[in-house]
């Protein structure tokens, strides 16, 4: 093999070995002999083999799960809480150069923040104000990640696991609350019905004809069953009447 052909093949290999494709949703940090040079934008890029290397960073919104954490609430109730963190890299240079394994660091920060926030409030607050708890955790985490060029988009609390005895107690409490509301509604209905009956009685008492009609209606309702015999020991004319009529 002659020298020109060998050099041509070697040049072709070097040329092909340095080709890199950077996707639109990624950025590539170029290092030359281990020193950061610049950030490569999406598209067709070429680097010097063996001299330059790149590290690709995804700039889309990334999701990381917060593994279940054992938390003792302010009212001394043990529970297991997990969640999810949404974050985005705004500055790839800082995310790579300022912190090692930023995803692992965010996970550890989120776990510590979750235990800290949930341990300072009562169980009822955690159950009823998950959104507020997530915002508090987000505020703590983003105070650290802001220096790394990473933006915390949101933090959500996914699930809260309670001890079996606590779940039974909460179910009993909810059942008792529903029973209390049902009794209150029934009492209010009885009160309204009594008021309407009193009003109707006053209206009937003002007219003897109304009293007769009411009496006949009652007898008709009784006779509808056809299993009773009705006896009048005195005529209905002797029934008490309003003296004003």
């Amino acid at each position: 093999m002659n020298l020109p052909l060998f050099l041509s093949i070697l040049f072709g290999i070097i040329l092909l070995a340095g080709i890199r494709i950077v996707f639109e949703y990624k950025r590539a940090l170029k290092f030359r002999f281990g020193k950061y040079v610049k950030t490569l934008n999406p598209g067709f890029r070429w680097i010097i083999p063996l001299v330059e290397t790149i590290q690709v960073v995804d700039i889309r919104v990334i999701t990381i799960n917060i593994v279940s954490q054992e938390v003792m609430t302010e009212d001394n109730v043990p529970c297991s809480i997990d969640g999810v963190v949404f974050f985005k890299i705004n500055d790839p240079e800082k995310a790579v150069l300022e912190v090692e394994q930023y995803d692992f660091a965010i996970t550890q920060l989120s776990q510590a923040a979750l235990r800290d926030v949930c341990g300072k409030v009562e169980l009822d607050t955690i159950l009823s104000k998950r959104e507020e708890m997530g915002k508090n955790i987000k505020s703590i985490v983003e105070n650290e990640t802001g220096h790394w060029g990473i933006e915390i988009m949101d933090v959500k609390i996914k699930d809260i696991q309670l001890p079996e005895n606590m779940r039974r107690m909460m179910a009993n409490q909810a059942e008792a609350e529903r029973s209390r509301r049902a009794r209150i509604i029934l009492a209010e209905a009885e009160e309204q019905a009594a008021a309407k009956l009193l009003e109707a009685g006053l209206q009937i008492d003002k007219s003897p004809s109304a009293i007769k009609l009411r009496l006949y209606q009652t007898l008709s309702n009784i006779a509808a069953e056809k299993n009773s015999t009705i006896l009048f020991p005195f005529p209905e004319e002797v029934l008490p009447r309003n003296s004003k009529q």
Side-chain angles (χ1 to χ4, degrees):
M1 181 180 295
N2 55 21
L3 183 61
L5 179 60
F6 175 77
L7 293 177
S8 299
I9 295 175
L10 180 62
F11 178 78
I13 294 175
I14 294 175
L15 183 65
L16 293 176
I19 295 176
R20 296 292 186 274
I21 302 297
V22 182
F23 292 96
E24 181 66 30
Y25 53 86
K26 293 183 178 182
R27 297 294 183 271
L29 276 70
K30 184 166 72 172
F31 298 87
R32 182 175 299 150
F33 294 113
K35 183 178 180 181
Y36 171 74
V37 178
K38 66 177 181 178
T39 300
L40 302 179
N41 291 322
F44 180 88
R45 297 290 179 265
W46 186 82
I47 63 173
I48 303 174
L50 302 178
V51 175
E52 297 177 341
T53 58
I54 64 171
Q55 184 170 343
V56 180
V57 178
D58 197 325
I59 61 172
R60 294 175 294 182
V61 176
I62 303 173
T63 304
I64 292 181
N65 288 324
I66 305 176
V67 297
S68 182
Q69 300 295 303
E70 294 292 335
V71 179
M72 182 67 71
T73 63
E74 190 178 36
D75 49 350
N76 298 321
V77 177
C79 56
S80 298
I81 306 175
D82 59 7
V84 60
V85 180
F86 302 89
F87 70 93
K88 182 179 181 180
I89 298 176
N90 291 331
D91 192 335
E93 179 184 349
K94 289 183 178 180
V96 173
L97 301 180
E98 297 293 332
V99 59
E100 180 185 9
Q101 297 182 354
Y102 54 82
D103 51 351
F104 178 75
I106 292 175
T107 300
Q108 296 301 308
L109 279 173
S110 302
Q111 293 176 4
L114 187 147
R115 290 193 298 267
D116 183 51
V117 170
C118 295
K120 294 180 180 179
V121 297
E122 297 181 353
L123 178 62
D124 290 341
T125 303
I126 299 176
L127 295 175
S128 61
K129 298 182 179 180
R130 293 191 181 191
E131 191 71 25
E132 182 178 341
M133 296 295 101
K135 290 181 180 179
N136 293 338
I137 297 172
K138 173 179 177 292
S139 177
I140 294 175
V141 176
E142 67 183 0
N143 285 337
E144 298 292 336
T145 59
H147 305 292
W148 305 339
I150 299 174
E151 177 186 0
I152 304 298
M153 309 297 294
D154 200 2
V155 177
K156 298 289 186 183
I157 293 178
K158 292 197 302 182
D159 191 22
I160 302 174
Q161 294 290 337
L162 301 176
E164 184 63 28
N165 60 339
M166 180 60 63
R167 282 186 282 182
R168 288 197 302 268
M169 292 173 60
M170 294 179 67
N172 293 335
Q173 180 184 0
E175 183 178 356
E177 178 64 21
R178 288 193 296 268
S179 177
R180 181 185 71 86
R181 293 179 182 177
R183 292 183 180 181
I184 292 176
I185 294 173
L186 180 60
E188 291 177 349
E190 292 290 345
E191 181 182 1
Q192 294 175 6
K196 291 297 182 181
L197 287 174
L198 177 60
E199 182 181 348
L202 294 175
Q203 292 293 332
I204 293 174
D205 190 51
K206 294 179 181 179
S207 174
S209 299
I211 297 177
K212 288 182 181 181
L213 290 174
R214 186 58 181 166
L215 174 61
Y216 295 152
Q217 184 180 2
T218 303
L219 294 175
S220 176
N221 292 336
I222 297 174
E225 298 295 333
K226 298 181 181 180
N227 58 0
S228 302
T229 302
I230 304 172
L231 298 176
F232 280 89
F234 48 82
E236 56 88 14
E237 285 80 3
V238 302
L239 290 176
R241 299 183 179 182
N242 194 329
S243 59
K244 295 182 180 180
Q245 299 295 333

